[in-house]
């Protein structure tokens, strides 16, 4: 793999499940960099994936939100995210940060047919919705060892020396064994709250371009309007309509970068009732007008070429 910090596009299904990038050839897991900067990403919005994920911050600081939990991870630290957990991330303090993502389908380490190993070291983690994530810092030897192995794993993927597939597999097994020893193991069962959040996010993703009401969203989640508002704010730290506006802005930013559509047309396609409302909302979210954003994005694209 070549050292590449270009933005990795997110491919999301209608329920906000991410289809992660192609795995490293011959290994079955994905390893890539996510970069927050102008012309790349200024945040990664709510999504989830089947794979468990290690996110190691290589520069800057990143805030990760995992449903009701927040983690502030600084350079050299990492966060492990469990399978199926809805999460988002954005840079802290400044606009730029880079973190390494390792997306790991656990069946690449152990088949469920190996009942002893699977039931002892993998199922207790995957089947517990109460374990959403775990922050790794260099403050203890065990966590420092995991961090060292994560970075070494990335180096192996980059250089691909003779036998690197075996070395990567060995590192992943050591990382997982150390992580299992650190995790608290609560009662099994993915929480209803997590499933409900996925329903809401998926409904917004499918219908954001249309006029949406709280009643429609609440009905999809099986809640009253007041329950839905309270639940979403508790789970994400945002109101429903703060998130909806933010999501529409992100979709419009993609159209500004990738199409020649007029500002008025993009406003309508992103679900805004008027161009003036869109421009005001965009300026509050991005700190510039849609036209200024488009011009800056094109300048960045020309520079990269």
């Amino acid at each position: 793999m070549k050292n590449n910090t270009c933005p990795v596009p997110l491919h999301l299904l209608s329920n906000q499940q991410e289809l992660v990038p192609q795995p490293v050839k011959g290994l079955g897991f994905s390893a890539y960099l996510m970069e927050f900067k102008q012309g790349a990403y200024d945040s990664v919005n709510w999504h989830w994936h089947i794979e468990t994920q290690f996110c190691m911050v290589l520069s800057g600081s990143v805030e990760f939100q995992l449903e009701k939990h927040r983690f502030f991870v600084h350079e050299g630290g990492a966060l492990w995210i469990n399978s199926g957990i809805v999460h988002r991330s954005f840079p802290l303090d400044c606009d730029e940060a880079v973190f390494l993502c390792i997306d790991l389908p656990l069946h690449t380490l152990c088949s469920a047919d190996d009942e002893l190993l699977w039931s002892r070291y993998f199922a207790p983690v995957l089947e517990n919705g109460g374990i959403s994530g775990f922050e790794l810092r260099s403050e203890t030897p065990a966590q420092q060892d995991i961090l060292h192995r994560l970075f070494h794993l990335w180096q192996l993927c980059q250089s691909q020396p003779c036998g690197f597939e075996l070395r990567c597999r060995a590192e992943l097994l050591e990382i997982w064994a150390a992580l299992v020893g650190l995790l608290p193991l609560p009662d099994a069962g993915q929480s209803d709250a997590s499933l409900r959040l996925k329903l809401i996010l998926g409904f917004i993703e499918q219908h954001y371009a249309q006029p949406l009401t709280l009643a429609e969203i609440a009905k999809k989640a099986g809640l009253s309007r007041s329950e839905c508002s309270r639940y979403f704010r508790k789970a994400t730290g945002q109101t429903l309509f703060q998130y909806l506006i933010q999501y529409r802005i992100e979709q419009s930013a993609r159209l500004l970068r990738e199409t020649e559509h007029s500002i008025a047309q993009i406003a309508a396609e992103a679900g805004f009732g008027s161009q003036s409302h869109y421009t005001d909302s965009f300026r509050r979210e991005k700190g510039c007008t849609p036209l200024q954003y488009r011009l800056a994005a094109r300048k960045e694209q020309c520079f990269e070429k």
Side-chain angles (χ1 to χ4, degrees):
M1 294 174 64
K2 295 180 180 180
N3 190 1
N4 183 5
T5 60
C6 291
V8 178
L10 294 181
H11 301 289
L12 302 180
L13 302 179
S14 61
N15 61 354
Q16 295 305 95
Q17 179 185 351
E18 179 191 358
L19 300 178
V20 302
Q22 288 295 313
V24 180
K25 186 176 180 180
L27 292 181
F29 70 90
S30 301
Y32 53 94
L33 298 180
M34 290 295 296
E35 186 172 15
F36 293 130
K37 71 169 186 176
Q38 187 177 11
Y41 291 107
D42 53 16
S43 67
V44 178
N45 221 328
W46 295 103
H47 67 286
W48 62 280
H49 29 74
I50 296 297
E51 298 80 3
T52 66
Q53 184 177 60
F54 291 91
C55 300
M56 184 176 187
V57 178
L58 302 182
S59 68
S61 298
V62 180
E63 178 176 345
F64 295 90
Q65 292 187 3
L66 279 60
E67 300 172 356
K68 294 180 287 186
H69 305 286
R70 291 185 175 189
F71 298 89
F72 303 95
V73 184
H74 305 288
E75 184 174 334
L79 180 69
W80 169 78
I81 303 171
N82 204 353
S83 169
I85 297 298
V86 182
H87 57 282
R88 68 171 181 165
S89 57
F90 44 88
L92 284 172
D93 302 327
C94 65
D95 295 332
E96 297 191 359
V98 178
F99 64 94
L100 164 65
C101 294
I102 295 175
D103 300 332
L104 176 63
L106 290 184
H107 63 77
T108 64
L109 295 184
C110 177
S111 168
D113 293 334
D114 192 335
E115 295 183 4
L116 178 61
L117 288 180
W118 186 261
S119 63
R120 183 172 294 178
Y121 299 110
F122 297 92
V125 177
L126 290 179
E127 296 172 5
N128 276 278
I131 306 176
S132 59
F134 189 84
E135 185 176 358
L136 296 162
R137 303 173 180 173
S138 59
E139 298 171 357
T140 66
Q143 294 185 35
Q144 192 172 30
D145 182 63
I146 294 176
L147 293 169
H148 173 78
R149 291 181 183 279
L150 286 172
F151 191 71
H152 185 227
L153 184 64
W154 172 242
Q155 291 177 316
L156 287 170
C157 291
Q158 293 287 286
S159 60
Q160 298 190 357
C162 179
F164 85 99
E165 299 93 340
L166 293 174
R167 298 182 192 183
C168 285
R169 183 66 58 88
E171 288 286 30
L172 284 169
L173 286 169
E174 290 286 355
I175 289 167
W176 191 256
L179 180 68
V180 169
L182 295 171
L183 293 176
L185 298 178
D187 294 334
Q190 185 179 37
S191 67
D192 291 337
S194 179
L195 297 174
R196 185 171 287 138
L197 183 58
K198 291 174 187 176
L199 281 175
I200 293 173
L201 295 176
F203 185 76
I204 289 175
E205 193 274 342
Q206 288 180 303
H207 301 284
Y208 73 90
Q210 307 164 13
L212 279 178
T213 66
L214 176 58
E216 291 173 316
I217 298 171
K219 182 179 179 181
K220 182 66 177 181
L223 299 169
S224 70
R225 288 179 294 178
S226 59
E227 288 173 333
C228 186
S229 292
R230 287 195 300 270
Y231 161 72
F232 193 86
R233 183 155 197 161
K234 184 177 180 181
T236 68
Q238 294 177 287
T239 69
L240 258 172
F241 286 97
Q242 283 174 335
Y243 173 75
L244 177 59
I245 292 296
Q246 184 183 68
Y247 188 84
R248 285 171 168 166
I249 292 295
E250 291 304 320
Q251 297 309 303
S252 77
R254 176 181 57 80
L255 294 174
L256 289 168
R257 294 191 305 269
E258 299 176 3
T259 74
E260 298 297 327
H261 298 175
S262 69
I263 303 299
Q265 185 178 355
I266 289 175
E269 290 176 354
F272 289 92
S274 69
Q275 184 176 339
S276 60
H277 180 214
Y278 168 58
T279 299
D280 291 342
S281 299
F282 195 97
R283 185 185 288 111
R284 282 194 296 270
E285 182 70 25
K286 298 290 190 182
C288 61
T289 67
L291 180 57
Q292 290 169 335
Y293 180 89
R294 169 175 270 175
L295 293 174
R298 288 177 177 174
K299 184 177 179 180
E300 182 74 21
Q301 289 167 0
C302 289
F303 176 77
E304 289 180 355
K305 289 179 181 179

